[in-house]
Amino acid sequence: MEQVTIKVEGMSCMHCVNSIEGALKNENIEGHVDLKAGTVSVKYDAGKVNLDQIKEIIEEQGYNVV
């Protein structure tokens, strides 16, 4: 399992948390949003998904990956 922390702009409330974490969970990716830090910590299987795909999932929810 790989682990990475991604800087994300535009997150401000629990809706943001639920949106991102839910979208990642739907793809069998473990994600945790930290609103104060403006980050998403992700654990994933690099054999099944890559970092660019994870960033795309987050951006599809309306947030900017920095």
Side-chain angles (χ1 to χ4, degrees):
M1 294 291 278
E2 300 289 326
Q3 184 168 347
V4 66
T5 300
I6 302 168
K7 182 79 174 160
V8 179
E9 293 180 338
M11 302 182 301
S12 61
C13 64
M14 284 308 296
H15 171 76
C16 302
V17 172
N18 293 335
S19 177
I20 292 173
E21 290 181 357
L24 292 170
K25 186 176 182 180
N26 287 342
E27 299 296 326
N28 297 313
I29 300 166
E30 184 180 333
H32 175 73
V33 174
D34 184 334
L35 287 176
K36 280 189 175 184
T39 60
V40 179
S41 299
V42 182
K43 288 183 185 177
Y44 63 100
D45 182 345
K48 295 181 180 178
V49 67
N50 64 45
L51 187 55
D52 287 336
Q53 291 169 311
I54 292 170
K55 289 178 180 179
E56 186 176 315
I57 291 167
I58 294 169
E59 289 177 341
E60 286 174 352
Q61 301 307 307
Y63 305 96
N64 297 318
V65 174
V66 181

